[in-house]
Amino acid sequence: MRLIIAEKPSLARAIADALPGGSRREDGALHAGDTVVTWCLGHLLEQAPPDAYDPAFKQWRVDHLPILPTRWQLVPRAKARGQLGVIRKLLKQTREVVHAGDPDREGQLLVQEVIEYLGWKGPVSRLLVSDLNRPAVQRALARLEDNARYQPLYRAAESRSRADWLYGINLTRAWTLTGRQAGHDGVLSVGRVQTPVLGLVVRRDAEIRDFVPYPFHVLWADLAVRHGQLRAWWQPGENHRLDAQGRLLDRAPALALAERLPAAEGRLTSLVTRQKRQAAPLPYSLSALQVDAARRFGLSAQAVLDICQRLYERHKLITYPRSDCRYLPDEHFAQARATLESACRSDETLGGWLRGADFRLRSKAWDDKKVGAHHALAPTGKPAELARLEHAEADVFRLIARNVLAQFYPPLAINEVKAEFTILEERFRASGQELLEPGWKPLFATRDEAPPLPPLVEGEPCRVEACDVEDRETRPPEPFNDASLIKAMMNIARYVDDPVVKRTLREHDGLGTEATRAGIIETLIERGYLVRRKKTLRATRLGDGLIASLPQAASRPERTAVWEQRLTAIAERGDDPRPFITALVEDLRDLLDSADAARLRQAMATAQGEAAPTPSRRGKAISTRRRSGKGKPPPRRRQRNNA
């Protein structure tokens, strides 16, 4: 018997449906001839709690820290024991095991840790499925690989799990115990990803709160030229008082010039025209989709992830969604026309875009060299009856299909025009764009483009028809929302000051993963550190106080981003994970030494974040119940890794 272990029931059903002869369900598995397909239910196992290593660790005490397991243990999740028993029984009857976890780091860990926990010593193959439609699954079944090839990926995922446990367990206990000394009775959760994300929001809120606006002034002039009229803007010279962005801080020079401008004549002294061609945006990764869906439809990152999971598992309309890749395999190009025609023809909007596509074109989106364990999100080719989907599901599917369809449109071509006029020995600038070829742009246009400049010739005269001075004021940065926070997590190098680290992070960007970013935001809200105010995300007083009490190293993105670099090196180059864990333990000792009750008390007293709404029941379990006795944590569910 051959046993295939899928990550979840939906994948197991898709695999069984692709096997010859049909299947029957029996005792937590699907039987198809000599092949049996069973499944996990997400993670069946989890890192053992501290008291599994020493019963004394059930009490939270400072003198226990750091807790450092010498031999790591996994334990079954409470609701997973039954399915774990099914897999154990089937392993005793099989000759070969096929690992069918999702094609990513966590998917590799989820199934392989079960196989190893149950003591299987025989051969293991790897099945990589990114599309649940039957032809795609059949192709994947014909291309089984040796699971040994994916051992580095497993070691990276295992190292991530252990590191998160070490970091979350030790720092959460340290800050919770310190919090008690400072008069705070709740659990203060600290994690290697969630805490730097919270730090981003706290610092942004502080920038907004501390922002002191100041006025600046602009002078515009409407100019008559040979073939029409345009608006140009005065460019004050360095002899005036300017800010770092070149904005005029004194109103008087602008007013004095404005008095002299009416009917003044000048000349076009510089004209630069540059033709630009811009290829269509690439197909989506999950995070890129979350950013666009938040901007266009106001959907939270978690809502987009949930929608994508339904489109993938229930409706089978899109490929594997938890992808960080924006490229497609070369083999998809040959099938793209048939796939898109089948997927899009029943929807009026998509059908219109489909009719405009030129399938002779090939964009840079198809590139095997840039495709890893998974590829960009794309339609599977199953006919999409969007009228039967929820409205938000249809919206998200159209975005995914649109970005793939756009690859079969020509580039956007424009003439970018920059004109500089000299009037009364002062410089005035105007800019505009001339559309040469709309290309893919009509698929994406959400607002009218600025009108182009009239035809211009360098040296031609101009005359001032009207002018005015506008008084403006600098504005604080915008608060984070789901879209901008996900984008910040994707492009975390922008928030790093160290030039060496910044340069490194440009190559290995990202805080969290495609699969975890939405969950991190929701966790911070659930734990009372963030709140949603309309469409924005703001820190609470609890979140503000926690960040103020932590050393900067724990609340900034550098550490966790470097973690991801090291985990990538383990996964892609096969680096030994032991130096990574050793370095983490050294960092952990330094962080634990910095816990200070007086600092925490002061931080909580001066915190200026927003008041959190009444926590949910689960939130109370985490953050608001009072401790039940000396040396014990507040009553709560089993402590999780606080990533």
Short mmCIF file of all heavy atoms in Angstrom, two decimals, residues 476-509:
data_model
loop_
_atom_site.label_atom_id
_atom_site.label_comp_id
_atom_site.label_asym_id
_atom_site.label_seq_id
_atom_site.Cartn_x
_atom_site.Cartn_y
_atom_site.Cartn_z
N PRO A 476 1.30 65.55 8.76
CA PRO A 476 1.98 64.40 9.39
C PRO A 476 1.87 63.18 8.50
O PRO A 476 1.05 63.13 7.56
CB PRO A 476 1.19 64.21 10.68
CG PRO A 476 -0.18 64.73 10.37
CD PRO A 476 0.05 65.90 9.44
N PRO A 477 2.67 62.15 8.76
CA PRO A 477 2.51 60.91 7.99
C PRO A 477 1.15 60.29 8.26
O PRO A 477 0.53 60.53 9.30
CB PRO A 477 3.65 60.02 8.53
CG PRO A 477 4.00 60.60 9.87
CD PRO A 477 3.73 62.07 9.78
N GLU A 478 0.66 59.51 7.32
CA GLU A 478 -0.63 58.84 7.48
C GLU A 478 -0.49 57.69 8.48
O GLU A 478 0.54 57.01 8.51
CB GLU A 478 -1.10 58.28 6.14
CG GLU A 478 -1.44 59.35 5.11
CD GLU A 478 -2.68 60.13 5.47
OE1 GLU A 478 -3.58 59.56 6.12
OE2 GLU A 478 -2.74 61.33 5.11
N PRO A 479 -1.51 57.45 9.30
CA PRO A 479 -1.46 56.26 10.16
C PRO A 479 -1.48 55.00 9.31
O PRO A 479 -1.93 55.02 8.16
CB PRO A 479 -2.73 56.39 11.01
CG PRO A 479 -3.64 57.27 10.24
CD PRO A 479 -2.76 58.22 9.47
N PHE A 480 -0.98 53.93 9.87
CA PHE A 480 -1.00 52.66 9.14
C PHE A 480 -2.42 52.17 8.97
O PHE A 480 -3.30 52.41 9.80
CB PHE A 480 -0.19 51.60 9.90
CG PHE A 480 1.29 51.66 9.66
CD1 PHE A 480 2.16 51.98 10.70
CD2 PHE A 480 1.82 51.41 8.40
CE1 PHE A 480 3.53 52.03 10.49
CE2 PHE A 480 3.18 51.46 8.18
CZ PHE A 480 4.04 51.78 9.23
N ASN A 481 -2.66 51.46 7.87
CA ASN A 481 -3.86 50.66 7.68
C ASN A 481 -3.40 49.27 7.24
O ASN A 481 -2.19 49.00 7.16
CB ASN A 481 -4.82 51.30 6.68
CG ASN A 481 -4.15 51.60 5.35
OD1 ASN A 481 -3.25 50.88 4.91
ND2 ASN A 481 -4.57 52.67 4.69
N ASP A 482 -4.33 48.39 6.94
CA ASP A 482 -3.93 47.03 6.55
C ASP A 482 -2.99 47.04 5.35
O ASP A 482 -1.97 46.34 5.34
CB ASP A 482 -5.16 46.17 6.25
CG ASP A 482 -5.80 45.61 7.51
OD1 ASP A 482 -6.45 46.37 8.25
OD2 ASP A 482 -5.62 44.42 7.78
N ALA A 483 -3.34 47.83 4.35
CA ALA A 483 -2.53 47.85 3.12
C ALA A 483 -1.13 48.36 3.39
O ALA A 483 -0.14 47.74 2.99
CB ALA A 483 -3.22 48.70 2.06
N SER A 484 -1.03 49.51 4.07
CA SER A 484 0.30 50.10 4.27
C SER A 484 1.13 49.30 5.27
O SER A 484 2.36 49.25 5.15
CB SER A 484 0.18 51.56 4.72
OG SER A 484 -0.56 51.68 5.92
N LEU A 485 0.50 48.64 6.24
CA LEU A 485 1.27 47.85 7.19
C LEU A 485 1.78 46.58 6.53
O LEU A 485 2.94 46.17 6.76
CB LEU A 485 0.43 47.52 8.43
CG LEU A 485 1.17 46.85 9.59
CD1 LEU A 485 2.40 47.66 10.00
CD2 LEU A 485 0.25 46.65 10.79
N ILE A 486 0.95 45.93 5.71
CA ILE A 486 1.44 44.76 4.95
C ILE A 486 2.59 45.19 4.05
O ILE A 486 3.61 44.50 3.94
CB ILE A 486 0.30 44.15 4.12
CG1 ILE A 486 -0.70 43.42 5.03
CG2 ILE A 486 0.86 43.19 3.07
CD1 ILE A 486 -0.23 42.09 5.56
N LYS A 487 2.44 46.33 3.38
CA LYS A 487 3.50 46.80 2.49
C LYS A 487 4.78 47.10 3.27
O LYS A 487 5.89 46.82 2.81
CB LYS A 487 3.04 48.05 1.74
CG LYS A 487 3.95 48.43 0.58
CD LYS A 487 3.30 49.47 -0.31
CE LYS A 487 4.19 49.75 -1.52
NZ LYS A 487 3.55 50.76 -2.41
N ALA A 488 4.62 47.67 4.49
CA ALA A 488 5.79 47.92 5.33
C ALA A 488 6.47 46.62 5.72
O ALA A 488 7.71 46.53 5.75
CB ALA A 488 5.38 48.69 6.58
N MET A 489 5.69 45.58 6.02
CA MET A 489 6.26 44.29 6.37
C MET A 489 6.97 43.66 5.17
O MET A 489 7.98 42.98 5.33
CB MET A 489 5.16 43.36 6.89
CG MET A 489 4.55 43.85 8.21
SD MET A 489 2.97 43.08 8.61
CE MET A 489 3.51 41.46 9.15
N MET A 490 6.46 43.90 3.97
CA MET A 490 7.11 43.39 2.76
C MET A 490 8.42 44.11 2.49
O MET A 490 9.38 43.51 1.98
CB MET A 490 6.18 43.57 1.55
CG MET A 490 4.93 42.73 1.55
SD MET A 490 3.76 43.30 0.29
CE MET A 490 4.69 43.03 -1.23
N ASN A 491 8.47 45.41 2.77
CA ASN A 491 9.61 46.26 2.41
C ASN A 491 10.26 46.84 3.67
O ASN A 491 10.43 48.04 3.79
CB ASN A 491 9.14 47.38 1.48
CG ASN A 491 8.49 46.85 0.23
OD1 ASN A 491 9.14 46.31 -0.64
ND2 ASN A 491 7.17 46.99 0.13
N ILE A 492 10.61 45.95 4.57
CA ILE A 492 11.04 46.37 5.90
C ILE A 492 12.37 47.12 5.87
O ILE A 492 12.69 47.88 6.80
CB ILE A 492 11.10 45.15 6.84
CG1 ILE A 492 11.06 45.61 8.31
CG2 ILE A 492 12.30 44.27 6.55
CD1 ILE A 492 9.79 46.33 8.68
N ALA A 493 13.16 46.97 4.80
CA ALA A 493 14.45 47.68 4.73
C ALA A 493 14.26 49.19 4.81
O ALA A 493 15.14 49.92 5.26
CB ALA A 493 15.19 47.31 3.45
N ARG A 494 13.10 49.69 4.39
CA ARG A 494 12.84 51.13 4.44
C ARG A 494 12.81 51.66 5.87
O ARG A 494 12.94 52.87 6.09
CB ARG A 494 11.51 51.44 3.76
CG ARG A 494 11.46 51.08 2.29
CD ARG A 494 10.07 51.32 1.72
NE ARG A 494 9.98 50.87 0.35
CZ ARG A 494 8.85 50.88 -0.36
NH1 ARG A 494 7.74 51.33 0.20
NH2 ARG A 494 8.84 50.44 -1.61
N TYR A 495 12.61 50.78 6.83
CA TYR A 495 12.45 51.20 8.22
C TYR A 495 13.69 50.87 9.05
O TYR A 495 13.64 50.87 10.27
CB TYR A 495 11.21 50.54 8.82
CG TYR A 495 9.95 50.91 8.07
CD1 TYR A 495 9.54 50.18 6.97
CD2 TYR A 495 9.21 52.03 8.45
CE1 TYR A 495 8.40 50.54 6.25
CE2 TYR A 495 8.08 52.40 7.74
CZ TYR A 495 7.68 51.65 6.65
OH TYR A 495 6.56 52.01 5.94
N VAL A 496 14.79 50.59 8.37
CA VAL A 496 16.05 50.24 9.03
C VAL A 496 17.04 51.37 8.81
O VAL A 496 17.17 51.88 7.70
CB VAL A 496 16.60 48.91 8.47
CG1 VAL A 496 18.01 48.65 8.99
CG2 VAL A 496 15.68 47.76 8.84
N ASP A 497 17.73 51.79 9.88
CA ASP A 497 18.67 52.91 9.79
C ASP A 497 20.08 52.47 9.40
O ASP A 497 20.77 53.16 8.67
CB ASP A 497 18.72 53.66 11.12
CG ASP A 497 17.39 54.31 11.46
OD1 ASP A 497 16.68 54.73 10.52
OD2 ASP A 497 17.05 54.38 12.66
N ASP A 498 20.52 51.32 9.91
CA ASP A 498 21.88 50.86 9.66
C ASP A 498 22.07 50.63 8.16
O ASP A 498 21.39 49.80 7.56
CB ASP A 498 22.13 49.56 10.43
CG ASP A 498 23.58 49.11 10.34
OD1 ASP A 498 24.07 48.91 9.20
OD2 ASP A 498 24.22 48.92 11.39
N PRO A 499 23.01 51.35 7.52
CA PRO A 499 23.16 51.23 6.06
C PRO A 499 23.59 49.84 5.61
O PRO A 499 23.20 49.39 4.53
CB PRO A 499 24.23 52.28 5.71
CG PRO A 499 24.93 52.57 7.01
CD PRO A 499 23.94 52.35 8.09
N VAL A 500 24.39 49.14 6.42
CA VAL A 500 24.83 47.79 6.05
C VAL A 500 23.65 46.82 6.09
O VAL A 500 23.42 46.04 5.15
CB VAL A 500 25.96 47.31 6.98
CG1 VAL A 500 26.34 45.87 6.65
CG2 VAL A 500 27.17 48.22 6.85
N VAL A 501 22.88 46.89 7.18
CA VAL A 501 21.71 46.01 7.30
C VAL A 501 20.69 46.36 6.23
O VAL A 501 20.08 45.49 5.61
CB VAL A 501 21.08 46.13 8.70
CG1 VAL A 501 19.80 45.31 8.80
CG2 VAL A 501 22.08 45.67 9.76
N LYS A 502 20.50 47.66 5.98
CA LYS A 502 19.55 48.10 4.96
C LYS A 502 19.91 47.52 3.59
O LYS A 502 19.05 47.02 2.86
CB LYS A 502 19.53 49.63 4.89
CG LYS A 502 18.53 50.20 3.89
CD LYS A 502 18.67 51.71 3.78
CE LYS A 502 18.08 52.42 4.97
NZ LYS A 502 16.60 52.42 4.92
N ARG A 503 21.19 47.56 3.27
CA ARG A 503 21.63 47.04 1.97
C ARG A 503 21.38 45.54 1.88
O ARG A 503 20.93 45.03 0.85
CB ARG A 503 23.12 47.35 1.77
CG ARG A 503 23.64 46.99 0.39
CD ARG A 503 25.01 47.61 0.14
NE ARG A 503 26.00 47.22 1.13
CZ ARG A 503 26.51 48.05 2.02
NH1 ARG A 503 26.13 49.32 2.08
NH2 ARG A 503 27.42 47.64 2.89
N THR A 504 21.63 44.83 2.97
CA THR A 504 21.40 43.39 2.97
C THR A 504 19.92 43.08 2.84
O THR A 504 19.52 42.16 2.12
CB THR A 504 21.95 42.77 4.27
OG1 THR A 504 23.33 43.09 4.39
CG2 THR A 504 21.80 41.26 4.26
N LEU A 505 19.11 43.85 3.54
CA LEU A 505 17.67 43.57 3.55
C LEU A 505 17.00 43.87 2.22
O LEU A 505 15.92 43.36 1.94
CB LEU A 505 16.99 44.36 4.66
CG LEU A 505 17.32 43.92 6.08
CD1 LEU A 505 16.57 44.76 7.09
CD2 LEU A 505 16.96 42.46 6.28
N ARG A 506 17.61 44.69 1.41
CA ARG A 506 17.03 44.94 0.08
C ARG A 506 17.03 43.66 -0.74
O ARG A 506 16.20 43.49 -1.64
CB ARG A 506 17.82 46.03 -0.65
CG ARG A 506 17.58 47.41 -0.08
CD ARG A 506 18.02 48.50 -1.07
NE ARG A 506 17.85 49.82 -0.47
CZ ARG A 506 18.85 50.54 0.02
NH1 ARG A 506 20.08 50.08 -0.02
NH2 ARG A 506 18.62 51.73 0.53
N GLU A 507 17.95 42.77 -0.45
CA GLU A 507 18.00 41.49 -1.16
C GLU A 507 17.14 40.44 -0.48
O GLU A 507 16.66 39.51 -1.14
CB GLU A 507 19.46 41.00 -1.24
CG GLU A 507 20.39 41.96 -1.96
CD GLU A 507 21.84 41.49 -1.91
OE1 GLU A 507 22.08 40.36 -1.43
OE2 GLU A 507 22.72 42.25 -2.34
N HIS A 508 16.95 40.53 0.81
CA HIS A 508 16.18 39.53 1.57
C HIS A 508 15.14 40.27 2.40
O HIS A 508 15.21 40.32 3.62
CB HIS A 508 17.10 38.71 2.48
CG HIS A 508 18.21 38.02 1.75
ND1 HIS A 508 18.04 36.83 1.10
CD2 HIS A 508 19.50 38.37 1.56
CE1 HIS A 508 19.19 36.45 0.55
NE2 HIS A 508 20.09 37.39 0.82
N ASP A 509 14.18 40.87 1.71
CA ASP A 509 13.21 41.73 2.39
C ASP A 509 12.10 40.91 3.02
O ASP A 509 11.76 39.84 2.55
CB ASP A 509 12.60 42.71 1.38
CG ASP A 509 12.56 44.12 1.92
OD1 ASP A 509 12.81 44.28 3.12
OD2 ASP A 509 12.29 45.04 1.14
#
